[in-house]
Amino acid sequence: MSLDQIYQLKHELWLKILFSSFALKEEKHKSYIYDMANIEFRHMKWLSNKLKDENIEYNYNKDDSIDIQQNSSFDYFHYIINQIKQVMKYYDPQDPLYARILSDEYYFISVLESWLQDKSNDYSIDAFNKQRVYEGKKLDKLSTDALTIFLFEETYKEYELILIYAYMQNYTDDIIQYNVYQDLVDESQFHLKSFGNMLAKMGLLSIPRSLFKELYQRIDIKQFLIDGIDEEKAAKEECKKLAEAIDDEELSKFFDFINYQENYHIELMEKTLKVFS
């Protein structure tokens, strides 16, 4: 299998593991599998470096029929083990990078298999029940609708931004841009985790749709940054409107918190824009 095809499989594997972490309820499982997803994302970064070094064009195409819905935590543990095994058979163990990836993933499998030995780790999953109730809060219909639309839109947006910034980072030799892109990837990963967990609590979890190549295979980086600043300003307004629309103090404060984080995203992008002045 070609390197770019393996990259697509790793992209899909990262998403499957990441969204599985959102679906699970027990904090021990959520936390570990989220860390597992972050390591898978690091594998993607190293593979993208390898693709660049070998002058192989890559993209973020994926199978849009991915379905991560499972009925129980044990189903998820089996699912993740099987998904990892399906991808790892394409690695070349003689290659130091693949040897590292294999070592990581064999350990992941061993942890999941150990959890399967203890029936107390098994519980039902309600991340797909479409109840649209957030942790027992009694939100009115207007608040619930506003929260639902926001979470779907922002989950896709943060997934999109993670991949775009990672792509830009891979193709820059400028240290200022590189560092800013890393900060923006890290921030968007936190936002995606927050929104993904909230979707799961509302019973609405789903994998985001694919990105168009035109979004990340950009030649005009300056225009990309200008457009990005406008998008962040729009995201700020959406957070502000949602905080005002939701009749719940705790949730309103959370979206105010996200809103203020968007302020610094704009500052970081404006800092990078100065490189092109």
Side-chain angles (χ1 to χ4, degrees):
M1 179 174 281
S2 64
L3 183 57
D4 59 319
Q5 289 174 314
I6 293 174
Y7 186 82
Q8 177 173 335
L9 292 179
K10 288 292 283 185
H11 172 201
E12 293 171 350
L13 182 61
W14 165 64
L15 266 180
K16 291 170 183 175
I17 295 175
L18 179 64
F19 276 72
S20 294
S21 79
F22 302 154
L24 291 160
K25 292 186 284 189
E26 173 61 46
E27 186 55 41
K28 177 181 77 170
H29 302 144
K30 290 180 69 68
S31 178
Y32 186 84
I33 292 178
Y34 181 75
D35 287 345
M36 187 189 299
N38 283 340
I39 293 174
E40 290 289 349
F41 188 77
R42 201 172 306 142
H43 294 171
M44 284 178 61
K45 180 178 181 180
W46 294 335
L47 286 169
S48 69
N49 294 161
K50 187 177 180 70
L51 285 156
K52 177 187 175 185
D53 291 344
E54 296 183 13
N55 292 314
I56 300 172
E57 184 177 289
Y58 68 96
N59 57 56
Y60 292 129
N61 292 347
K62 65 177 178 65
D63 180 358
D64 275 333
S65 66
I66 294 173
D67 182 6
I68 63 160
Q69 185 168 343
Q70 304 293 325
N71 295 318
S72 72
S73 55
F74 268 26
D75 287 345
Y76 267 108
F77 304 156
H78 283 296
Y79 171 74
I80 295 171
I81 289 169
N82 291 335
Q83 294 303 311
I84 290 174
K85 286 182 176 179
Q86 286 180 28
V87 180
M88 62 173 19
K89 64 186 178 184
Y90 297 110
Y91 305 152
D92 174 8
Q94 303 305 312
D95 183 304
L97 172 55
Y98 288 128
R100 160 61 195 269
I101 292 172
L102 279 167
S103 175
D104 288 346
E105 292 183 342
Y106 276 126
Y107 182 69
F108 297 160
I109 289 171
S110 72
V111 171
L112 293 168
E113 288 178 338
S114 72
W115 288 350
L116 287 165
Q117 302 307 308
D118 183 351
K119 290 185 178 180
S120 70
N121 288 320
D122 196 17
Y123 49 83
S124 63
I125 298 296
D126 51 24
F128 309 94
N129 62 19
K130 297 182 170 56
Q131 291 285 316
R132 293 213 310 155
V133 176
Y134 185 78
E135 291 190 325
K137 292 183 180 295
K138 295 181 179 179
L139 301 178
D140 60 27
K141 187 178 185 303
L142 182 63
S143 296
T144 299
D145 289 346
L147 180 58
T148 300
I149 293 169
F150 177 87
L151 289 176
F152 274 122
E153 290 180 348
E154 292 302 303
T155 297
Y156 173 74
K157 178 202 145 195
E158 299 299 347
Y159 164 65
E160 172 189 287
L161 290 177
I162 289 167
L163 295 184
I164 292 173
Y165 293 139
Y167 193 91
M168 297 297 189
Q169 186 184 52
N170 194 35
Y171 285 100
T172 185
D173 296 319
D174 181 85
I175 190 64
I176 294 176
Q177 288 185 62
Y178 187 93
N179 287 335
V180 167
Y181 293 144
Q182 186 60 56
D183 285 338
L184 290 168
V185 166
D186 292 343
E187 292 278 277
S188 286
Q189 285 181 326
F190 170 73
H191 288 184
L192 178 56
K193 178 184 179 182
S194 299
F195 301 149
N197 280 324
M198 292 176 79
L199 277 175
K201 289 175 181 178
M202 295 185 73
L204 297 171
L205 189 62
S206 63
I207 296 283
R209 64 186 183 277
S210 294
L211 278 66
F212 294 112
K213 292 181 183 179
E214 292 78 11
L215 289 171
Y216 51 89
Q217 293 180 345
R218 303 280 291 263
I219 297 175
D220 190 344
I221 307 300
K222 182 177 180 180
Q223 188 59 49
F224 162 74
L225 291 167
I226 292 170
D227 293 343
I229 289 169
D230 289 340
E231 286 183 15
E232 293 291 352
K233 288 179 179 178
K236 272 176 52 61
E237 288 304 311
E238 289 303 312
C239 277
K240 183 179 177 182
K241 285 192 287 187
L242 186 61
E244 293 171 351
I246 287 185
D247 185 23
D248 182 88
E249 184 177 0
E250 181 183 354
L251 286 173
S252 291
K253 284 182 177 179
F254 171 74
F255 288 110
D256 281 336
F257 160 69
I258 296 294
N259 179 28
Y260 286 120
Q261 289 196 336
E262 302 288 5
N263 284 340
Y264 195 61
H265 295 178
I266 293 169
E267 176 67 25
L268 288 171
M269 296 176 83
E270 288 178 339
K271 176 181 177 181
T272 308
L273 195 55
K274 291 177 182 177
V275 173
F276 298 92
S277 299

